[in-house]
Amino acid sequence: MTSSAIPHPPEFRPPEFSPPDLRAPDHRAVLAIAVPMTLGYMTTPLVGLVDMAVVGRLGEPALIGGVAIGSVICDVGFTTFNFLRSGTTGLTAQAVGRGDRPEMLATLMRALVLAGLAGLLMMLAAPAAALAGRAVFGGSPAVMEAMATYVLIRLLGAPLVLANFALFGWLLGLGRAGAGLVLQTVLNGVNVAAAVGLVLGAGWGVAGAAWAAVAADAVTLALGLALLARTRDRSAWPGWARVIDRPAVLAMLGTNRDIMIRSFVLLAAFAFFTRQSALQGDLVLAANAILEKFFLFGGYFLDGFAAAAETFVGRAVGARRRDIYDRALILTAIWGFALAGLVSATLWAAGPALLALMTSATAVAETARLYLVWAALTPLAGVLAFQMDGVFIGATWSRDMRNMMLVSLVVYLAAWALLMPAFGNHGLWLALLIFLGVRGLSLGWISRRRAAETFGAR
């Protein structure tokens, strides 16, 4: 593909609510969403690395440990409400498909209200979260003091974090992935700059790292809301009665509930994998932890095409256009499987060099090489699950997504019970691949029935 065929992100302009272009997507349209979203996803881990790096420059191990534990506690809390991003995307894209301009904005306003309420609860729960961190993680008094400082400050910005989730999801639902990338870049850039300035420049230590994250979320939300306020299409603004419409509110809550349950089950599956790794000893735990990073790396690429599926499937459902739905499935599958194959091949070929780069412990690297093939296969095993997640989020078939996740977890545990006693860590990895594959296949199977119900039989 020539460079001219790669789509450039749309300019960062105020959203307009003119009737949508409901042509079936082509390769360029899919890439116009997938490329910016992939870039946005890939910049996210840099923030955590920079926070650890700047705190690490202070030369106090207790501070590094406190930030690490505090980040985990906050991430778990924020992940709980990540449905504000995905649920808003599907509902917005369906409103776009219907050409319902007031509902596009009403969806965002509902999500922002919910984000504010949930964020307020997280703020109030911050002292309890810090106490729970002490009980669960333990550690020296210095580590626990640093953890509590980070958590208490970081959760002050919870309403900002959750509001940004809603805003990012809304922009994706509108198909404005380029604007989402700009906001994501601002978020990460301000976080990095503020962390360096406050921790190393002002000498605020752990508190500086936490305040940097709060400041980044505040700046990003202000920029996003300013962009929204500049829209010239004033006729699109809904009345308050439309925003608090009971059926619409219940639909959003139901969708978000199912997505939250699905996310918890997914987290539980990977926590179980880590637990089983730890039971095999520190060496296997370290090796598996590094190899899991390979899977997460591949996931950043696959998530971009899942985001494209969310947008175009949502539009198809809103417009009741089976042709758009079918075309979105075909194109995101083509790009998803092609990219998954490329990432798998790259991980397999470059794996030994990457392992040497990621750890200086020879024993850990050698152990990881024994299981490298499984990590390299995870993108291929999981690509259908990523794509189908996008399809089901866009269509708001959230109950099926939740149920198939539960089915996949049962199959995963059964596979682990059979395979790990016989094959050890190889069996654990194979069970994980089965879990990923079953998720994708089960959703793909049920999607055919849901599509027939939504669009009518062929």
Side-chain angles (χ1 to χ4, degrees):
M1 178 177 293
T2 64
S3 59
S4 61
I6 300 299
H8 297 287
E11 61 180 294
F12 193 57
R13 63 188 188 280
E16 301 296 340
F17 302 97
S18 56
D21 181 359
L22 290 180
R23 291 176 297 180
D26 56 14
H27 290 282
R28 185 179 182 85
V30 169
L31 290 175
I33 291 177
V35 171
M37 293 303 298
T38 297
L39 293 174
Y41 290 138
M42 291 185 70
T43 62
T44 300
L46 296 178
V47 175
L49 292 175
V50 170
D51 282 350
M52 295 300 295
V54 294
V55 172
R57 296 290 296 174
L58 300 177
E60 298 183 36
L63 300 184
I64 299 174
V67 170
I69 295 174
S71 296
V72 170
I73 294 171
C74 294
D75 287 346
V76 169
F78 295 142
T79 300
T80 300
F81 295 98
N82 194 45
F83 57 75
L84 285 166
R85 204 280 308 163
S86 50
T88 303
T89 297
L91 293 170
T92 301
Q94 290 180 26
V96 170
R98 294 192 301 271
D100 190 343
R101 298 183 298 171
E103 185 60 22
M104 297 176 205
L105 274 167
T107 298
L108 172 62
M109 294 172 70
R110 290 185 203 108
L112 289 175
V113 170
L114 183 57
L117 293 174
L120 180 60
L121 289 176
M122 290 187 70
M123 288 176 59
L124 296 176
L131 288 175
R134 293 178 185 273
V136 173
F137 292 98
S140 68
V143 169
M144 291 297 98
E145 181 180 357
M147 177 275 296
T149 298
Y150 186 89
V151 169
L152 292 174
I153 295 174
R154 184 73 181 90
L155 291 185
L156 287 176
L160 305 173
V161 174
L162 301 188
N164 280 324
F165 283 177
L167 187 60
F168 288 149
W170 181 71
L171 288 171
L172 179 57
L174 293 178
R176 296 289 304 282
L181 173 60
V182 171
L183 290 179
Q184 189 73 50
T185 303
V186 169
L187 174 68
N188 296 334
V190 172
N191 199 334
V192 169
V196 172
L198 294 178
V199 175
L200 300 182
W204 287 15
V206 170
W211 280 117
V214 175
D217 281 304
V219 170
T220 303
L221 181 60
L223 179 60
L225 294 179
L227 176 74
L228 176 63
R230 288 178 55 210
T231 179
R232 295 183 296 273
D233 194 356
R234 298 299 175 184
S235 64
W237 290 94
W240 187 246
R242 178 74 177 262
V243 174
I244 61 173
D245 176 66
R246 188 171 184 272
V249 170
L250 292 178
M252 173 172 277
L253 291 175
T255 298
N256 290 342
R257 176 202 62 212
D258 294 333
I259 294 175
M260 182 174 66
I261 294 172
R262 167 257 183 196
S263 298
F264 274 138
V265 174
L266 184 61
L267 287 173
F270 282 98
F272 180 81
F273 181 89
T274 301
R275 171 63 175 167
Q276 295 306 312
S277 300
L279 291 176
Q280 298 178 76
D282 292 348
L283 198 58
V284 172
L285 174 61
N288 281 357
I290 292 175
L291 292 174
E292 273 192 281
K293 302 300 182 188
F294 289 4
F295 169 62
L296 294 175
F297 172 78
Y300 293 133
F301 292 94
L302 302 181
D303 267 333
F305 292 98
E310 291 178 33
T311 299
F312 290 113
V313 168
R315 290 184 183 181
V317 170
R320 293 298 188 265
R321 290 277 299 276
R322 181 65 183 259
D323 60 321
I324 297 177
Y325 175 86
D326 288 342
R327 187 65 174 163
L329 252 62
I330 292 171
L331 294 183
T332 55
I334 290 173
W335 281 102
F337 276 97
L339 193 56
L342 179 61
V343 172
S344 288
T346 301
L347 291 177
W348 174 246
L354 292 173
L355 290 172
L357 183 65
M358 295 179 71
T359 178
S360 59
T362 303
V364 173
E366 290 178 350
T367 301
R369 284 195 197 99
L370 296 175
Y371 310 108
L372 176 61
V373 62
W374 301 114
L377 287 173
T378 52
L380 282 171
V383 59
L384 185 59
F386 278 86
Q387 185 208 18
M388 285 293 116
D389 274 353
V391 169
F392 277 69
I393 287 172
T396 58
W397 297 331
S398 56
R399 183 178 300 177
D400 293 316
M401 187 168 62
R402 176 201 67 193
N403 292 343
M404 292 305 100
M405 178 65 81
L406 292 169
V407 169
S408 300
L409 180 65
V410 172
V411 174
Y412 172 44
L413 296 176
W416 161 80
L418 291 172
L419 295 171
M420 191 168 177
F423 303 105
N425 198 47
H426 288 288
L428 177 62
W429 273 101
L430 180 54
L432 179 64
L433 263 64
I434 290 173
F435 169 68
L436 295 173
V438 169
R439 278 188 60 215
L441 291 172
S442 62
L443 289 173
W445 169 73
I446 203 169
S447 70
R448 300 180 64 181
R449 185 172 64 191
R450 290 291 171 259
E453 293 172 354
T454 300
F455 301 104
R458 289 178 180 276

